[in-house]
């Protein structure tokens, strides 16, 4: 459970009131910071990590451990001894939800967001697209006897296909509506063994005719399954965090190891070592089933930090594969929500705060999730939005959200937030918003603006700054200026709202993760927050770190 600073604050207020009644004098508030003369170099608050969400795993014929990242648009190699990770196939072609190795060392992987399957015969061979226009193309594997290649659609589709290795023929449909045939493997008998994500089962499918038989059930969310050649099917359960051994002959299940939830995939090496990926922590672990020894090869505190908000000593982080809080004194990270463990979480790219609610926004799912801060229960999820990039829950119970696809900002209120009031339209891609201390809304526009929008309609909207390089995160300083992340220029700038003048706070930053084809240019936003002492906090989407930049007055 997260700590709740507002509860502590309320308790302190009550204590001070009691002391005042007894004749004591409360200490004066600290003086407000003034505009600093300069800024410190960025310092690491939360350490970097590899990937940006890690998914499919495979061991190739060279013994390399390969790992795929969808959000990071990259395919990685992880050293099985040291855990050191490096990009093997760069963005955007390297986008990989799952990876398969063929009988002659061929490599194939699924571009999940692009709906493509890519293939190359060797490291030096050209890449080819063997299939396209298959949204949600997820898992794949080769039949190592026949060389046939199979792939499944999950989440954005629900189908199993045979893929023509030459790329000349269209995919052959094997079966539809299975229940999410996720990370599967082709057995030596030519059958396909894998989990049904939405049914809590692991099954065997005959690719010749699509007939399907249940091997075991009772899982929460089985995400992937691999054979060990010893009569066992190993399964990772994304929700429970369990690594489970299933006896193929009897269907009997044994939990071999309890891991953290948000497990995504696994691969079994020739020596029997099992490698497991965890998307919420950019984590790859190895497990020796003979000894029970678990070893973490690589891991991160965060997965893909995006939108930020600060409240006292707590930094709230929309982490795409989780919702986290960070103690700015220590850098300690704690989970509020994790993907799969918490089923209502929808890949949050931004976070908004009020005294009673969180607003978690996902352009990927077109949703704004409103959460009660005391109970951590979802109050409402607004669906069907057109690429919402940010939302702010208001004190009156309404919510303001920005849709980049419509160029509009809307205030929703009433039962189920069905009452809609458009506050602004015709914007050049609204990305991130804050309510300033003057009560107006300040929004970054991807087209290059920081814009002020009076919420009381007392004046027309006004551009505070123009010509910015893909501005994303925005925050107000205690002295009244605005900090904006220019992701295309990889810098932070400070903007004077009166004169429009600006100065660079920091540059050459690890921000500006490139989007794949057909995805919105802001992609993973560079979140910015400013503390009461004037310290700036920034999410770095290129290395999954959070940095702090302190004001300097000397």
């Amino acid at each position: 459970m997260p700590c709740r600073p507002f509860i502590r604050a309320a308790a302190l207020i009550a204590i001070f009131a009691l002391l005042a009644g007894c004749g004591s004098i409360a200490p004066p508030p600290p003086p407000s910071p003034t505009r600093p003369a300069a800024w410190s170099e960025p310092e690491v608050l939360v350490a970097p990590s590899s990937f940006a969400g890690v998914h499919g795993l495979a061991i190739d014929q060279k013994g390399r451990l390969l790992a795929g990242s969808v959000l990071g648009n990259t395919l990685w190699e992880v050293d099985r001894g040291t855990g050191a990770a490096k990009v093997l196939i760069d963005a955007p072609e390297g986008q990989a939800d799952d990876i398969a190795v063929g009988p002659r060392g061929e490599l194939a992987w699924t571009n999940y967001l692009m709906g493509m399957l890519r293939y190359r015969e060797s490291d030096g061979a050209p890449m080819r697209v063997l299939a396209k226009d298959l949204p949600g193309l997820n898992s794949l594997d080769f039949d190592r006897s026949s060389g046939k290649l199979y792939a499944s659609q999950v989440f954005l589709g629900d189908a199993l296909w045979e893929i023509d290795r030459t790329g000349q023929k269209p995919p052959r449909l094997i079966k539809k509506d299975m229940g999410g045939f996720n990370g599967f493997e082709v057995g030596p008998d030519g059958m396909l063994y894998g989990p049904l994500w939405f049914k809590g089962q692991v099954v065997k499918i005959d690719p010749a005719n699509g007939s399907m038989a249940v091997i075991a059930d009772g899982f929460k969310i089985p995400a992937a399954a691999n054979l060990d050649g010893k009569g066992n099917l190993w399964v990772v359960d994304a929700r429970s965090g369990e690594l489970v051994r299933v006896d193929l002959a009897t269907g009997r299940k044994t939990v071999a190891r309890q891991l953290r939830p948000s497990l995504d995939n696994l691969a079994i090496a020739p020596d029997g070592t099992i490698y497991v990926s965890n998307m919420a922590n950019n984590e790859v672990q190895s497990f020796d089933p003979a000894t029970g020894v678990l070893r973490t090869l690589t891991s991160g505190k965060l997965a893909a930090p995006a939108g930020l908000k600060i409240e006292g000593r707590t930094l709230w982080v929309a982490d795409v594969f989780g919702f986290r809080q960070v103690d700015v004194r220590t850098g300690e990270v704690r989970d509020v929500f994790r993907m799969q463990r918490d089923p209502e979480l929808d890949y949050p790219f931004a976070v908004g705060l009020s005294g009673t609610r969180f607003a978690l926004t996902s352009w990927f799912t077109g949703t704004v999730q409103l959460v009660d801060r005391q109970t951590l229960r979802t109050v409402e999820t607004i669906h069907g939005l057109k690429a919402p990039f940010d939302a702010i829950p208001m004190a009156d119970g309404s919510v303001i959200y920005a849709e980049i696809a419509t160029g509009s900002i809307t205030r929703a209120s009433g039962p189920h937030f069905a009452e809609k009031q458009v506050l602004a339209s015709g914007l050049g891609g609204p990305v991130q918003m804050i309510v300033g201390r003057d009560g107006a809304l300040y929004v970054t526009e991807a087209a290059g603006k920081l814009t002020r929008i009076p919420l009381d309609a007392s004046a027309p909207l006004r551009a505070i700054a123009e010509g910015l390089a893909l501005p994303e995160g925005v925050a107000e300083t205690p002295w009244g200026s605005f900090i904006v992340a220019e992701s295309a220029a990889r810098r932070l700038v400070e903007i004077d709202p009166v004169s429009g003048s600006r100065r660079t706070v920091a540059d050459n930053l690890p921000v500006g993760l490139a989007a794949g084809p057909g995805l919105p240019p802001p992609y993973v936003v560079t979140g910015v927050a400013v503390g009461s002492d004037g310290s700036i906090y920034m999410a770095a989407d290129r290395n999954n770190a959070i940095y702090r930049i302190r004001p300097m007055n000397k």
Side-chain angles (χ1 to χ4, degrees), residues 51-53 55 69-76 90-92 94-95 513-514 523:
F51 311 120
H55 307 291
S69 176
V70 172
L71 194 68
N73 289 314
T74 43
L75 196 156
W76 293 68
D90 211 343
Q95 181 187 104
L513 187 67
Y523 200 44

Side-chain angles (χ1 to χ4, degrees), residues 24-40:
S24 301
I25 299 174
S32 298
T34 58
R35 186 175 186 268
W39 299 93
S40 70

Side-chain angles (χ1 to χ4, degrees), residues 392-457:
I392 303 173
M394 304 298 287
D396 64 0
S398 66
V399 61
I400 295 172
Y401 57 81
E403 294 174 287
I404 198 169
T406 64
S408 64
I409 295 176
T410 301
R411 188 170 201 152
S413 59
H416 305 294
F417 299 94
E419 299 172 18
K420 307 292 176 67
Q421 177 193 6
V422 176
L423 301 178
S425 59
L427 301 176
V431 184
Q432 293 280 276
M433 307 180 293
I434 59 167
V435 176
R437 283 193 295 277
D438 62 358
L441 192 69
Y442 290 83
V443 58
T444 53
E445 298 180 55
K449 294 181 181 180
L450 173 62
T451 301
R452 181 182 186 272
I453 303 172
L455 291 177
D456 59 4

Side-chain angles (χ1 to χ4, degrees), residues 485-507:
E486 290 185 273
S487 65
R490 299 187 182 179
R491 69 181 171 223
L492 295 181
V493 293
E494 181 184 12
I495 300 172
D496 185 303
V498 177
S499 66
S501 63
R502 66 192 77 167
R503 65 171 174 169
T504 298
V505 174
D507 55 12

Side-chain angles (χ1 to χ4, degrees), residues 66-414:
L66 307 181
S69 176
V70 172
L71 194 68
N73 289 314
T74 43
L75 196 156
W76 293 68
E77 177 186 350
V78 180
D79 189 293
R80 293 164 63 186
T82 66
K86 63 181 180 181
V87 173
L88 182 67
I89 302 176
D90 211 343
E93 293 85 1
Q95 181 187 104
D97 198 1
D98 201 5
I99 307 161
V101 179
R104 297 187 299 275
E106 311 96 315
L107 191 66
W109 62 100
T110 50
N111 295 157
Y112 177 81
L113 295 177
M114 304 178 207
M116 294 182 180
L117 189 153
R118 294 185 191 265
Y119 167 90
R120 72 181 189 188
E121 293 183 350
S122 64
D123 285 2
M127 285 183 282
R128 292 192 287 136
V129 175
L130 298 187
K132 60 181 181 179
D133 301 324
L134 294 174
L137 200 59
N138 190 299
S139 185
L140 78 170
D141 198 23
F142 290 91
D143 185 319
R144 286 155 189 80
S145 298
S146 68
K148 290 182 178 181
L149 178 59
Y150 304 100
S152 65
Q153 289 171 279
V154 187
F155 307 119
L156 302 181
D158 189 356
L160 176 63
W161 304 86
E162 180 182 345
I163 307 298
D164 176 38
R165 295 278 298 275
T166 68
Q168 301 300 311
K169 299 178 183 179
R172 176 180 70 88
L173 178 64
I174 297 170
K175 193 174 183 62
K176 292 182 67 176
D177 304 324
M178 297 162 290
F181 191 54
N182 213 336
F184 68 88
E185 183 175 10
V186 182
D189 57 358
M191 300 293 107
L192 279 55
Y193 295 82
L196 298 183
W197 179 282
F198 297 106
K199 293 185 177 180
Q201 300 172 333
V202 289
V203 299
K204 176 173 66 174
I205 297 177
D206 187 335
N209 55 28
S211 64
M212 183 169 70
V214 175
I215 298 170
D217 58 14
F219 295 92
K220 292 183 178 178
I221 298 182
N226 274 190
L227 298 159
D228 66 1
K230 301 176 181 178
N232 300 308
L233 186 67
W234 290 84
V235 182
V236 289
D237 193 311
R239 179 161 294 166
S240 70
E242 294 171 337
L243 174 62
V244 181
R245 183 177 64 246
V246 178
D247 185 287
L248 284 173
T250 65
R252 184 170 60 89
K253 300 186 301 180
T254 303
V255 176
R257 188 77 188 207
Q258 178 64 58
L259 305 172
R260 288 191 283 188
S262 305
L263 302 180
D264 192 270
N265 216 310
L266 76 163
I268 302 178
D271 65 1
T273 302
I274 301 172
Y275 296 90
V276 179
S277 64
N278 188 308
M279 70 182 92
N281 287 93
N282 290 331
E283 188 169 79
V284 178
Q285 296 177 296
S286 67
F287 175 72
D288 185 340
T291 64
V293 172
L294 179 73
R295 188 165 67 94
T296 298
L297 298 183
T298 183
S299 185
K301 298 290 187 181
L302 299 169
L308 303 179
K309 290 293 185 294
I310 193 167
E311 199 176 46
R313 295 168 173 172
T314 298
L315 192 65
W316 301 99
V317 185
D319 195 26
V320 183
F321 299 98
F323 176 42
R324 268 66 185 256
Q325 61 181 111
V326 177
D327 187 321
V328 299
R329 298 165 298 178
T330 64
E332 178 190 4
V333 179
R334 296 179 62 189
D335 286 339
V336 182
F337 298 130
R338 286 176 78 87
M339 285 304 299
Q340 315 317 335
R341 184 194 72 182
D342 302 294
E344 294 177 329
L345 189 65
D346 271 341
Y347 300 102
F349 285 79
V351 55
L353 303 178
S354 72
T356 59
R357 290 178 177 175
F358 298 116
L360 302 176
T361 304
S362 176
W363 62 259
F364 177 65
T365 60
T367 57
V368 173
Q369 179 186 357
L370 294 161
V371 178
D372 183 280
R373 293 182 58 166
Q374 282 193 317
T375 65
L376 294 182
R377 294 184 181 276
T378 298
V379 175
E380 189 82 38
T381 299
I382 305 173
H383 293 275
L385 303 182
K386 296 180 179 179
F389 260 76
D390 203 4
I392 303 173
M394 304 298 287
D396 64 0
S398 66
V399 61
I400 295 172
Y401 57 81
E403 294 174 287
I404 198 169
T406 64
S408 64
I409 295 176
T410 301
R411 188 170 201 152
S413 59

Side-chain angles (χ1 to χ4, degrees), residues 3-26:
C3 66
R4 298 189 176 92
F6 62 95
I7 294 177
R8 294 199 298 269
L12 288 173
I13 290 170
I15 291 169
F16 285 139
L18 180 61
L19 289 175
C22 296
S24 301
I25 299 174

